[in-house]
Amino acid sequence: MSPLKLIDGKVAAAEVLQQVREDVRTLKADGIEPALAVILVGDDPASHVYVRNKILRAEEAGIRSLEYRLPATTRETELLALIGTLNDDPHVHGLLLQLPLPPHIEETRALQAIAPSKDVDGFHSENVGGLSQGRDVLTPCTPSGCLYLLEQTLGDLSGKHAVVIGRSNIVGKPMAALLLKAHCSVTVVHSRSADAKALCQLADIVIAAVGRPRLIDGSWLKEGAVVIDVGINRIDDNGRSRLVGDVDFDSALPKVAAITPVPGGVGPMTIAFLMKNTVAAARQQALSSQSEAVCLSTY
Ligand code: NAP
């Protein structure tokens, strides 16, 4: 296997986190200590692991973290009250609500309660709308990480034809919006697409975010395509449990110019971009409060 074809997400995430640490140092020198609050409701074991990893990465980056682990019985009003308190706290810059929520809490209402300026997951409709208008807003972490990997691999993406497989609010749709903003021609395919494979065969760039193990094999790909595999699927491989992507890595490899492995591709980028978003939110809030102070002092 040519190592040149492998897009190494661990190396790229380390670069992003190094930049984050430098940005945190600069902010601290200006008297701002970036802080990320993470709220977890309920007992989902995977969510507890994700939150622990996010807190650890934040600490490593020098970002203060606040952790709120609430019981599954928490009422929606209690959760909204906590979000409101954190929205109003000038010492908290990023606010993340770990999903999924227990079924009695309405996800959209809870996500919409987060102040857009602190919405480091980029899920608030104000940020979603801003991204679709091509504005610089807080954008979802996984597609932002994918875009970074593509730009590191290909440089300028202008004029490339990108096919995004999947149209979720978390990955597919924001990915398509980011690629449009980067001047790609974008096709989005999904479970109702008439011939997803034929569309994919035309792509210079393929982003697979489906959640179906090895759906996309080499026959879906144009010679020389660059492939970003977002999928994380646990399969039973002759009695051994292991992770595979949405792309059949072995048959794709001879066709592609470059491809992300699973694991070790997109996965590490998501947390790195959460930290990057937290620093961006802290910087933006500091600038806004400075300009508010200037406005007030002119009266
Ligand atoms: P999702 O919400 O389940 O969305 C899956 C999308 O795939 C849907 O839009 C669906 O179409 C489409 N789809 C399903 N079957 C298809 C087919 N046969 N052909 C074409 N499209 C098809 O999943 P998600 O949250 O976007 O996640 C996708 C994958 O990425 C999962 O494996 C997830 O674990 C992984 N993921 C990884 C990271 C990371 O950090 N690396 C982060 C997030 C997600 P419809 O809309 O028509 O149903």
Side-chain angles (χ1 to χ4, degrees):
M1 179 202 314
S2 163
L4 293 177
K5 283 193 175 190
L6 267 194
I7 303 173
D8 191 333
K10 286 189 228 149
V11 169
E15 284 163 14
V16 173
L17 287 168
Q18 178 57 30
Q19 185 59 54
V20 167
R21 275 191 288 277
E22 284 167 28
D23 291 345
V24 168
R25 269 197 291 276
T26 308
L27 281 167
K28 284 184 176 171
D30 291 340
I32 301 148
E33 186 183 21
L36 171 67
V38 181
I39 305 175
L40 171 58
V41 190
D43 313 313
D44 179 48
S47 294
H48 279 267
V49 174
Y50 295 146
V51 165
R52 192 163 56 241
N53 287 341
K54 286 168 186 174
I55 299 288
L56 272 175
R57 283 293 103 71
E59 283 165 6
E60 282 167 17
I63 294 171
R64 187 167 73 91
S65 60
L66 298 89
E67 214 177 324
Y68 298 87
R69 290 180 190 254
L70 309 180
T73 51
T74 303
R75 290 198 306 268
E76 186 176 294
T77 48
E78 292 173 303
L79 175 63
L80 295 180
L82 173 60
I83 292 173
T85 303
L86 294 168
N87 281 343
D88 292 340
D89 185 340
H91 301 294
V92 171
H93 306 98
L95 176 44
L96 181 149
L97 181 58
Q98 183 67 42
L99 302 177
L101 295 170
H104 65 279
I105 298 178
E106 225 258 282
E107 185 179 294
T108 308
R109 201 162 23 234
L111 291 174
Q112 286 295 106
I114 296 173
S117 60
K118 300 191 178 188
D119 169 37
V120 283
D121 259 338
F123 295 159
H124 192 286
S125 60
E126 195 169 311
N127 288 322
V128 174
L131 173 60
S132 76
Q133 291 175 335
R135 287 194 277 122
D136 284 329
V137 289
L138 292 168
T139 51
C141 303
T142 301
S144 300
C146 294
L147 185 74
Y148 182 92
L149 294 176
L150 282 170
E151 289 181 332
Q152 291 295 103
T153 307
L154 287 167
D156 183 11
L157 303 183
S158 295
K160 305 274 185 214
H161 178 209
V163 170
V164 180
I165 314 173
R167 56 172 167 179
S168 69
N169 291 334
I170 293 174
V171 189
K173 283 184 200 142
M175 187 74 248
L178 282 168
L179 289 163
L180 263 183
K181 195 173 172 215
H183 311 297
C184 290
S185 303
V186 183
T187 304
V188 180
V189 302
H190 45 77
S191 69
R192 310 283 183 95
S193 295
D195 194 348
K197 180 172 171 173
L199 292 166
C200 204
Q201 285 166 336
L202 302 172
D204 305 311
I205 293 168
V206 174
I207 315 278
V210 189
R212 302 273 183 281
R214 300 177 178 139
L215 173 74
I216 297 121
D217 67 21
S219 69
W220 287 53
L221 303 170
K222 183 168 89 172
E223 199 76 44
V226 171
V227 177
I228 304 290
D229 190 354
V230 184
I232 302 177
N233 309 289
R234 189 161 286 286
I235 59 155
D236 179 65
D237 188 7
N238 289 326
R240 277 182 49 228
S241 163
R242 70 180 185 103
L243 293 180
V244 295
D246 292 340
V247 179
D248 178 37
F249 187 84
D250 292 339
S251 66
L253 194 64
K255 294 285 279 296
V256 299
I259 184 168
T260 54
V262 176
V266 175
M269 300 304 287
T270 299
I271 289 192
F273 271 80
L274 175 63
M275 300 308 139
K276 196 167 159 47
N277 276 354
T278 303
V279 166
R283 194 185 296 119
Q284 191 52 47
Q285 285 160 47
L287 285 172
S288 301
S289 59
Q290 274 164 17
S291 57
E292 255 171 47
V294 169
C295 283
L296 287 175
S297 68
T298 56
Y299 279 100

